[in-house]
Amino acid sequence: MKGGKTMRLRYAALGVALLAALSLGAQSRAGGSAELKARLLQAVDQGTLPASIRGGLYAYPDPSVRALAVRALAVGANPGPAVLLNRFFSDPDPRVRSEVMVAAAREGTSGARLIERGLTSPSPPVRQAAVWAAAQLAGDLTAPLLERLRKERDPAVLETGLANLWRLPPGTWEALAARHSADADPLLRRAAVYSLARSPAPDVRPALRRLVSDPEPVIRATAVRGFARGGLREADTAALASALRDADWRVRAAACQALAAHPEIQLDQQAGAALATALEDPAPDLVVSAIHAAGAHPEVPAAGALEAIVAGASPWPAGEALVALTRRNQAGAGARVLTWLAASELQRRRAAARAVPFLAGQEAAKGQRLVLAAEPAVVLAWLEGAAAADRVPAPDLLRPLLENPDAAVRAEALDLLGGQHAAPGWRALLQRAAAWRKDTIGDARATALRMALGAAPDKASRREVLKAAQSGADWAVAAPVVAAARAAGMPAALPAREPRHGHKWYLDLVAWAGESHWMDVDTVRGTFRLRLDTAAAPITAKEIWDLAQAGFYDGLTIHRVVPDFVVQGGDPRGDGWGGPGFVLADEPSLEPFDSWRVGIATSGPNTGGCQLFVTLLPADHLTGHYTNFAEVTSGRDVLTRLEVGDTIRGISCATGAEPPPPVPVLVGRVEWRELAAIDGWKKEAEDYQPDRTAIKKLRGARGHYRILSVLGSWCSDSRREVPRLVKVLNQVGGDHFTHEMYGVDHTLVVTAPDFPEGLLENKKAERVPTIIVLDGDGQELGRVVETAPMPLEQLLVELVAPEEGWR
């Protein structure tokens, strides 16, 4: 597990056990239960278990059918079926009883007694699910949960419990987590530090400081992230300074994020130097994390580096650097923000809008005017940036935005007004929700109804609001309000909806889910492969598959990257507020969100759509709350290079045995052995026969020449020209010709810091390969772009002949 590899969470075993019960295709062929499973999948999609099929399910011989019935109850999590869950908890199969624990947790406090019974189950998978469920409810279950964990001997159960301790009341669990943070088992240490890192309590800091030196980089990164919460002591600052020099860039990124959260501390010269080094790293997640830290610490002499990033070719770091310079009150930053607000590129205008909250005086007033006159995407970026910076606009600026044509702008403005206790009254909010019924996205209506529910003065008023939310068929509106009502102690039911498809779709899904399915997501940074988890989330897997096959994702972007957490994309709006025109039901499972798992982004239970996210590190707080429908099996390095604004070029789908792996995209300085491992490259070199006369001539060269090849490992022209050049130089031998190879992705930007300045504008090639020949003084003698006009060895002779005095 060392050296940056993924830590494989042990409690994935629970997910495997449950998924064995839910495996649809094979079971249906063996048990002849395809028709019933199709009806149950339709019930999951509707969010209700019809009374017409309940009676015969308890004793149905196929446990996968019984487990799927419980899954249908878990989706809506309505209060009424509590009796049904009690019946299913008597099931002889522990996998079914484990599903009952998930459903009981989603039901809320009415499921607490059932969960407490699960804590004493003799079956480890049931106890494991019960431990997770008890942590979600906490409250009266805190004591029995802690008692269970103190005597628990099953490591998978203990791991699940430790990773969810942070949900319990402060002061009740920290000692238990601290004790296990020194466990010999790295998976238990990781689970313990996950909870410790989410606590701002000072007494957890000694354990976090110790774990900053843990052998496992995932544990170190998780521990370092914990310092972003609460105050910092001198020993904490020293631990962060050490983490800035960690060998693993993820740990360094976590240290930068923690420093960004503490602008009140002063960084010493050594920490400042480490931060400056991070600003020049090729890993974009680390660079952006360092930019945030530099923005919070103007005492670090980073203005020059930030200016260079703003002027660079990568829009995401450039925009973040502009915000950082503005936050540092750097001279000229405000003028640049105003210039960017008038730029033709939307990404620049949105980046500048996020910087406007840090402007002052006349520049602030002008920036606000420009933003408010801009399109909704820019207004939304300003609002989200202001909220993130805790510089919320005054109510007088926000109220006019409630008339904005864009529902996302209205939703965000309402939320910010609510945070200032300046929102309209509950009746006015109810009226606005009614007036917004024609919105294509439900966020503004859902926000208005949710806020009206909280502001309503009595039970009758709250029931009126809840009824308004439940009256429509749009779960994007109803589900958030129902969730808010339940959190307030109201008995609220999510209304059943019409199934999205005809019965045959669900019947075909049963067979489809019995096969293996793969999706190759081709981006400008390379391709990564998904293995769809049709047992954990068959409906979601098929819906996303159908969207991909229809070309829905072609040309969409990555709109969110949070270093050490997630990469998210697939939104047709490109800002996180869009959807496919329908809402997906949750498919709750305890398949853990380990690193490289793929989930569906939501704004609350049962509000998912088309947006996909991939976890970069374990994210236990997502498990059981978001649909977990796939795993990245190859191309994981591509995800660490993706930036906000990068394009999804397309998605190809395959069924059955795993297809050949996607062509790797090598970025930065590359060696021939890496290229030779890619299909076709080595053979091209072996088959090429250079001109012997030219080789002999080159062997007689007396000068020294440097050859730089900018190539795409994914590019057929590069696969032809570069191996031939390697063969030529191998035959020439000696030390008069040196060859450096730089891989690029589809953006064609050279990220290697040692590539010479001035040869390519903004270090971006026009096409690949671009092969540049320099003399001993670094002066360019010539270059090949894409295809050599003659054999490369003859071209080299022609280029160096004037230097050598050859005729």
Side-chain angles (χ1 to χ4, degrees):
M1 286 183 292
K2 297 179 183 179
K5 295 181 181 178
T6 299
M7 294 189 71
R8 202 69 173 160
L9 306 191
R10 183 189 289 109
Y11 68 95
L14 173 61
V16 171
L18 295 181
L19 303 183
L22 291 169
S23 180
L24 300 179
Q27 290 277 4
S28 66
R29 289 190 292 271
S33 53
E35 175 65 31
L36 182 53
K37 287 181 177 178
R39 293 182 68 188
L40 287 171
L41 287 169
Q42 184 172 318
V44 169
D45 216 5
Q46 289 181 272
T48 186
L49 184 63
S52 60
I53 61 173
R54 291 177 188 171
L57 291 174
Y58 304 115
Y60 197 85
D62 185 348
S64 69
V65 168
R66 303 196 302 272
L68 193 55
V70 178
R71 175 73 61 86
L73 293 173
V75 172
N78 292 327
V83 175
L84 303 179
L85 291 181
N86 273 284
R87 287 281 301 273
F88 278 113
F89 192 64
S90 300
D91 194 283
D93 195 306
R95 297 167 296 183
V96 178
R97 300 199 302 276
S98 298
E99 283 284 318
V100 170
M101 294 294 97
V102 177
R106 287 174 65 89
E107 187 177 295
T109 54
S110 59
R113 286 189 178 182
L114 200 54
I115 294 169
E116 190 167 3
R117 289 170 58 194
L119 289 172
T120 61
S121 171
S123 167
V126 177
R127 290 201 309 278
Q128 191 174 359
V131 160
W132 174 86
Q136 312 312 302
L137 300 187
D140 292 340
L141 291 177
T142 297
L145 171 58
L146 291 173
E147 181 183 0
R148 170 76 266 161
L149 293 177
R150 289 188 183 105
K151 60 185 180 184
E152 184 59 60
R153 293 294 176 266
D154 187 280
V157 178
L158 192 54
E159 182 184 353
T160 301
L162 290 172
N164 285 278
L165 284 176
W166 60 275
R167 299 180 184 275
L168 304 185
T172 62
W173 58 270
E174 290 84 353
L176 178 64
R179 175 160 62 86
H180 283 286
S181 72
D183 202 289
D185 184 339
L187 295 178
L188 294 184
R189 292 201 311 276
R190 190 220 60 88
V193 73
Y194 192 85
S195 283
L196 291 170
R198 298 179 76 84
S199 169
D203 54 357
V204 308
R205 292 304 173 81
L208 292 180
R209 291 195 295 268
R210 172 170 42 80
L211 290 167
V212 169
S213 301
D214 194 273
E216 301 292 344
V218 170
I219 293 176
R220 297 200 303 274
T222 305
V224 171
R225 281 156 59 181
F227 291 107
R229 294 179 170 87
L232 289 183
R233 299 175 180 176
E234 186 176 347
D236 300 333
T237 305
L240 285 177
S242 172
L244 279 174
R245 300 186 296 275
D246 195 277
D248 193 294
W249 69 262
R250 296 171 296 179
V251 181
R252 301 199 299 276
C256 290
Q257 294 162 33
L259 290 172
H262 291 286
E264 75 280 359
I265 68 169
Q266 292 287 307
L267 299 185
D268 61 23
Q269 186 174 0
Q270 190 175 22
L275 189 59
T277 299
L279 288 169
E280 299 177 352
D281 197 273
D285 283 19
L286 175 55
V287 171
V288 168
S289 298
I291 288 170
H292 294 164
H297 292 277
E299 72 275 11
V300 174
L306 292 173
E307 290 280 4
I309 294 171
V310 169
S314 296
W316 178 43
E320 299 297 323
L322 179 61
V323 175
L325 286 168
T326 311
R327 184 177 180 183
R328 290 164 62 101
N329 198 26
Q330 194 72 35
R336 180 170 278 172
V337 169
L338 299 178
T339 299
W340 277 37
L341 283 172
S344 58
E345 304 94 334
L346 177 59
Q347 193 163 358
R348 282 199 168 197
R349 297 198 301 278
R350 291 172 62 180
R354 292 195 302 274
V356 167
F358 293 104
L359 296 177
Q362 292 184 350
E363 287 182 331
K366 185 174 181 180
Q368 289 172 356
R369 287 196 302 272
L370 289 171
V371 164
L372 292 172
E375 65 268 58
V378 176
V379 179
L380 192 57
W382 171 59
L383 294 176
E384 292 173 340
D390 198 21
R391 294 174 175 235
V392 179
D396 287 347
L397 286 174
L398 294 172
R399 287 192 185 99
L401 295 178
L402 300 184
E403 312 304 325
N404 193 281
D406 188 83
V409 171
R410 283 182 260 126
E412 189 71 13
L414 262 183
D415 257 336
L416 295 181
L417 283 168
Q420 299 180 73
H421 306 288
W426 77 274
R427 177 64 68 184
L429 287 167
L430 196 58
Q431 292 169 348
R432 283 189 176 275
W436 294 339
R437 279 188 174 275
K438 293 184 178 181
D439 285 351
T440 55
I441 62 173
D443 296 87
R445 291 175 57 212
T447 301
L449 289 168
R450 176 176 51 78
M451 293 176 67
L453 185 76
D458 50 45
K459 287 184 179 179
S461 303
R462 288 192 289 273
R463 282 196 295 268
E464 182 181 351
V465 174
L466 183 59
K467 183 179 179 181
Q470 294 169 321
S471 62
D474 188 356
W475 275 9
V477 176
V481 183
V482 167
R486 290 174 179 172
M490 293 180 65
L494 181 66
R497 63 176 182 175
E498 290 298 312
R500 277 213 357 97
H501 305 281
H503 181 68
K504 186 178 183 302
W505 189 90
Y506 299 97
L507 192 61
D508 292 343
L509 174 59
V510 175
W512 184 86
E515 300 178 289
S516 296
H517 301 282
W518 314 86
M519 289 171 47
D520 284 355
V521 184
D522 180 24
T523 78
V524 293
R525 307 284 175 183
T527 302
F528 60 92
R529 171 167 293 169
L530 308 183
R531 178 187 59 79
L532 299 188
D533 201 334
T534 56
I539 296 172
T540 301
K542 186 62 166 64
E543 295 277 21
I544 299 302
W545 171 276
D546 288 348
L547 286 175
Q549 287 207 310
F552 175 86
Y553 290 102
D554 298 1
L556 300 187
T557 61
I558 302 300
H559 66 267
R560 182 180 182 225
V561 177
V562 182
D564 285 352
F565 179 35
V566 293
V567 173
Q568 186 170 325
D571 173 15
R573 282 177 53 115
D575 58 9
W577 291 84
F582 58 82
V583 175
L584 291 175
D586 290 346
E587 295 187 78
S589 76
L590 293 190
E591 178 66 32
F593 273 100
D594 195 357
S595 305
W596 315 118
R597 292 297 301 189
V598 188
I600 295 293
T602 72
S603 55
N606 296 304
T607 59
C610 55
Q611 294 183 39
L612 318 179
F613 66 83
V614 181
T615 50
L616 303 176
L617 287 179
D620 302 79
H621 65 287
L622 304 180
T623 300
H625 296 278
Y626 291 79
T627 298
N628 189 338
F629 79 97
E631 179 183 14
V632 180
T633 59
S634 62
R636 292 171 173 177
D637 60 305
V638 173
L639 286 152
T640 66
R641 297 198 303 270
L642 283 173
E643 301 184 10
V644 173
D646 283 347
T647 303
I648 299 170
R649 290 155 53 91
I651 298 180
S652 57
C653 302
T655 296
E658 182 173 5
V663 175
V665 176
L666 304 182
V667 175
R669 280 290 292 270
V670 296
E671 302 295 332
W672 170 244
R673 58 179 174 76
E674 297 175 277
L675 294 168
I678 301 174
D679 186 47
W681 286 70
K682 184 179 180 181
K683 187 176 187 304
E684 182 67 41
E686 290 173 342
D687 291 349
Y688 184 61
Q689 298 299 320
D691 176 66
R692 293 182 181 180
T693 302
I695 294 294
K696 182 178 179 180
K697 193 78 169 176
L698 292 170
R699 285 173 180 166
R702 292 168 297 184
H704 287 84
Y705 305 96
R706 183 183 181 188
I707 304 175
L708 309 176
S709 292
V710 179
L711 60 93
S713 58
W714 41 269
C715 166
S716 59
D717 291 320
S718 296
R719 188 174 65 241
R720 179 188 64 251
E721 299 295 338
V722 174
R724 294 180 179 184
L725 177 59
V726 169
K727 178 76 169 279
V728 166
L729 295 178
N730 282 342
Q731 288 195 2
V732 170
D735 60 359
H736 287 268
F737 293 88
T738 61
H739 187 203
E740 301 163 27
M741 293 179 285
Y742 296 86
V744 296
D745 54 32
H746 294 281
T747 66
L748 306 186
V749 175
V750 180
T751 59
D754 63 339
F755 189 83
E757 297 287 345
L759 293 177
L760 300 174
E761 186 177 357
N762 290 324
K763 290 192 173 182
K764 181 175 181 178
E766 291 184 12
R767 286 169 289 172
V768 287
T770 294
I771 301 171
I772 305 172
V773 182
L774 307 178
D775 66 15
D777 296 323
Q779 298 298 309
E780 181 176 342
L781 301 179
R783 65 177 62 191
V784 172
V785 178
E786 204 167 57
T787 303
M790 63 181 71
L792 282 165
E793 64 276 15
Q794 295 177 7
L795 182 61
L796 278 178
V797 170
E798 186 175 293
L799 291 176
V800 305
E803 300 292 314
E804 295 292 328
W806 296 336
R807 294 182 178 179

